[in-house]
Every structure is written in structure tokens, then in C-alpha cells.
């Protein structure tokens, strides 16, 4: 009735110098799943938790914010008429119109850009960002750096002789410079910080950088026009309706910032994961040039060849729609497919 504890005869243990076969296999480099999916050209289905129509709700929110912001800015702008003729002491005490204009433009521009980012989040679905807070914080800091450096580049461009020193040439140079500045910090982090080599983290850092740049620039343009009205200087929007239209145009004009930069960022980060270094650099530079040319169409072409305010605004809207469907949305879907 006793149980023998003697080990049954069998093969002896391997010597330490001879590693088991499975250990040898584990030491081999595992293929990157992103590389495999892109090489096969596989298109992932929408994630289970992704909405069926990811554009619908963000579109409604963006249009609602645009209308609300434009109405608030127009209502506040109606108070600029008597302020423009008031004394300097009265101007100091009546700040409500300026506050209303800035608030309205912030709602409109920020609401439209927020709707774009919300749409992007809905498309990516399960491709969540483990370092979302870090990406957003660094993205805002990156956009602030770009905002501080952009005027320096514009002043330097204005000093150039010939075409590039003029208004149109400066607009074209500024487009290329702004795209580089919005990507500057994210690309440096891609090169030197491992966390930001993840395509999802890198993309959100770059697109938040561009979104922050666009919001501040758009609100700044409208506020500058309102201040010009008070001072009676050039660029004044003396009509409340005109000011409301300015807010609407700025809303979709400055949304071009995250559209161009976000698309380029996806190309750059996926190339860094899937291609050899030399080819990745070439693809990244090409993506940057495409984004800069698309940006320059707005800053250096449309406003100079379409002088009518209404048609110019509609042309900018059409450009933004084309950039969204041809450049931004395909890249966001490509990022989603690679992350699944």
C-alpha cells in the first residue's frame, strides 16, 4: 500500500550548454505584424466597437459649432460700430464685443477641428493610444513652438527679393515652413524617444500639434480683424455679417492644418516601421512635400487668384473637402488597418 517515490527511468535532463529547442526559436526576431499586414495589402474590417457611420455625428457637431460660433461673433461684432467712434476711455470700458468675437471664433474654429479629431478617434476604434495624455500634452507644446517660430520665418521670407518677398511668395514659403514646424517636435521624438515610435502615439502627437496651431491661428486672425475695426486700420471688418462670414471661413480654412499634417504624419510613422531607413526618409520627405503643396494651395494660390470673398471662401471649403477625402481619410484608414 505504499507509493514509491523513486523516479521512473527516462531520458536525462539536457545539459546547460545545450539550450532547449523552443528557446532557440524564441531568440529569433519576430516579424512585425504591421509589416506583414501592409505587405499583404490586407484591409481590416471596421473594429467591432467602431460606429457604422463615423463621420455623421462629428459632422453634425462641427456644423453646429460653426453656426453657433459665427452667430455669436456676428452679434458681438454689431457692437463694434459705436466703439469705433468712441473715445479711448470708452473703448477701455467696453470689452464685451471683443470677448464675444473671440469666444465665437473659438467655438467655431475649435468646434470644427474637434469634430475632425473626434471622427478620427471613431475610425481608429480599438486602435487606442496607451499614452494618450502624453501625446496630447506634447502635441499642444509642439503646436505652441510652431506658433512662436512661424512669425520669425514669415518675417525672414518677407525680406527676400523678388517674387518670394511679396505677399504671395511669402504665403507659399510660410506654408512649407509651417508644415515643417508642426512636425518638428514629433519627428525629433520619433528619432530619439522610443514611446513616440508607435505610429498611433506619433500620429496623435502630430495631429494635435497641427490642430492646436490651427485653432490659435484662426482665433488670432478674427481677433486681429476686430481690433483693426476699433483702431480703424486696414483689415477692419466693419460689418457684423462680414465678421460672421470671416469666422465661418476661418473655421474650415484652419482645419486644413490637421488635415495636411495628420496625413503626412501617418505616412512618416508607418514608413519608419515598415521600410529601411533610407527609403523611410525618402517617403517621409515626400509626404511632407505633399502636405506643404496642399497647404500652399490655400495660403499662396486661392486667396490671390480668387479675389471675390464669397467665391474664395467656397474655394477654400472645396479644397478642404478634397484634402479630407483624397489625403486624410485614406491615411487614417491605413493607420487603423495597420494597428489592428
Amino acid at each position: 500500500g505504499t507509493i514509491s517515490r523513486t523516479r521512473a527511468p527516462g531520458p536525462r535532463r539536457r545539459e546547460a550548454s545545450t539550450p532547449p529547442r523552443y528557446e532557440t526559436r524564441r531568440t529569433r526576431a519576430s516579424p512585425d505584424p504591421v509589416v506583414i499586414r501592409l505587405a499583404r495589402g490586407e484591409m481590416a474590417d471596421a473594429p467591432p466597437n467602431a460606429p457604422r457611420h463615423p463621420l455623421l455625428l462629428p459632422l453634425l457637431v462641427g456644423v453646429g459649432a460653426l453656426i453657433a460660433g459665427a452667430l455669436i461673433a456676428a452679434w458681438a461684432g454689431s457692437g463694434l460700430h459705436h466703439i469705433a467712434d468712441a473715445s479711448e476711455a470708452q473703448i477701455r470700458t467696453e470689452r464685451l464685443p471683443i470677448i464675444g468675437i473671440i469666444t465665437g471664433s473659438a467655438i467655431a474654429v475649435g468646434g470644427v477641428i474637434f469634430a475632425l479629431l473626434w471622427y478620427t478617434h471613431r475610425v481608429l476604434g480599438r486602435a487606442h493610444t496607451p499614452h494618450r495624455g502624453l501625446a496630447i500634452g506634447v502635441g499642444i507644446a509642439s503646436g505652441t513652438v510652431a506658433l512662436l517660430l512661424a512669425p520669425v520665418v514669415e518675417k525672414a521670407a518677407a525680406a527676400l527679393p523678388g517674387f518670394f518677398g511679396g505677399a504671395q511668395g511669402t504665403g507659399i514659403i510660410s506654408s512649407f515652413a509651417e508644415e515643417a514646424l508642426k512636425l518638428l517636435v514629433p519627428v525629433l521624438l520619433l528619432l530619439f524617444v522610443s514611446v513616440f515610435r508607435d505610429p498611433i502615439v506619433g500620429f496623435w502627437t502630430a495631429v494635435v500639434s497641427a490642430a492646436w496651431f490651427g485653432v490659435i491661428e484662426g482665433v488670432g486672425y478674427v481677433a486681429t480683424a476686430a481690433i483693426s475695426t476699433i483702431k480703424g486700420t486696414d483689415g477692419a471688418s466693419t460689418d457684423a455679417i462680414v465678421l460672421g462670414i470671416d469666422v465661418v471661413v476661418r473655421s474650415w480654412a484652419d482645419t486644413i492644418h490637421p488635415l495636411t499634417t495628420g496625413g503626412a504624419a501617418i505616412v512618416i510613422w508607418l514608413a519608419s516601421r515598415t521600410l529601411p531607413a533610407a527609403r523611410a526618409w525618402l517617403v517621409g520627405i515626400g509626404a511632407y512635400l505633399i502636405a506643404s503643396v496642399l497647404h500652399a494651395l490655400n495660403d499662396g494660390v486661392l486667396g490671390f487668384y480668387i479675389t471675390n470673398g464669397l467665391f474664395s471662401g467656397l474655394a477654400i471649403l472645396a479644397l478642404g473637402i478634397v484634402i479630407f477625402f483624397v489625403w486624410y481619410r485614406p491615411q487614417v484608414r491605413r493607420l487603423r488597418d495597420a494597428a489592428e
Side-chain angles (χ1 to χ4, degrees):
T2 61
I3 299 174
S4 175
R5 299 182 180 272
T6 305
R7 177 179 294 180
R12 295 181 178 272
R13 291 187 302 172
R14 296 173 182 262
E15 297 294 333
S17 59
T18 307
R21 189 176 180 183
Y22 76 89
E23 291 184 2
T24 303
R25 288 182 176 177
R26 290 183 64 183
T27 58
R28 297 176 184 174
S30 300
D32 192 332
V34 175
V35 179
I36 295 175
R37 295 189 64 82
L38 293 179
R40 293 176 179 172
E42 295 179 355
M43 295 296 292
D45 295 330
N49 61 338
R52 213 171 154 186
H53 302 288
L55 183 58
L56 182 58
L57 280 179
L59 180 62
L60 294 176
V61 170
V63 172
L66 187 150
I67 294 173
L71 291 176
I72 291 173
W75 167 77
S78 63
L80 295 178
H81 295 289
H82 71 276
I83 291 181
D85 299 326
S87 64
E88 194 169 327
Q90 289 175 312
I91 291 175
R92 291 197 194 98
T93 59
E94 299 202 35
R95 299 173 183 172
L96 180 60
I98 298 297
I99 295 174
I101 290 168
I102 293 175
T103 301
S105 60
I107 291 174
V109 179
V112 173
I113 291 179
F114 168 78
L116 175 67
L117 299 182
W118 185 24
Y119 157 80
T120 305
H121 175 73
R122 285 161 66 87
V123 170
L124 294 179
R126 289 182 301 177
H128 63 281
T129 307
H131 303 281
R132 185 178 305 166
L134 177 64
I136 293 173
V138 174
I140 291 175
S142 171
T144 303
V145 171
L147 285 165
L148 294 174
L149 294 179
V152 178
V153 176
E154 291 180 5
K155 288 183 180 179
L160 295 174
F163 171 79
F164 290 105
Q168 187 175 6
T170 301
I172 294 174
I173 292 176
S174 297
S175 300
F176 282 77
E178 288 177 1
E179 290 301 324
L181 291 173
K182 288 179 290 183
L183 287 168
L184 175 62
V185 173
V187 169
L188 288 175
L189 293 171
L190 166 66
L191 295 174
F192 298 109
V193 182
S194 60
V195 171
F196 291 92
R197 289 171 191 160
D198 182 279
I200 296 287
V201 178
F203 162 72
W204 279 113
T205 303
V207 80
V208 168
S209 171
W212 181 253
F213 188 101
V215 170
I216 301 302
E217 183 184 73
V219 174
Y221 273 122
V222 176
T224 300
I227 294 171
S228 299
T229 298
I230 293 177
K231 294 183 177 180
T233 56
D234 293 337
S237 295
T238 55
D239 193 312
I241 297 178
V242 172
L243 185 60
I245 294 174
D246 286 344
V247 170
V248 172
V249 173
R250 291 315 318 175
S251 299
W252 58 59
D254 286 293
T255 306
I256 290 178
H257 283 290
L259 287 175
T260 54
T261 307
I266 295 172
V267 175
I268 292 170
W269 261 260
L270 290 183
S272 71
R273 284 283 297 271
T274 60
L275 298 176
R279 288 182 60 191
W281 274 101
L282 289 176
V283 171
I285 292 173
Y288 156 73
L289 291 176
I290 291 173
S292 299
V293 169
L294 294 174
H295 190 159
L297 289 175
N298 178 41
D299 288 8
V301 177
L302 294 181
F304 292 90
Y305 292 102
I306 304 178
T307 56
N308 182 278
L310 176 61
F311 290 117
S312 177
L314 292 176
I316 294 172
L317 174 61
L319 175 64
I321 293 173
V322 170
I323 294 174
F324 173 79
F325 283 103
V326 175
W327 174 245
Y328 184 82
R329 189 172 74 158
Q331 298 304 331
V332 170
R333 289 179 169 180
R334 184 167 171 251
L335 178 62
R336 179 202 65 192
D337 297 341
E340 284 297 310

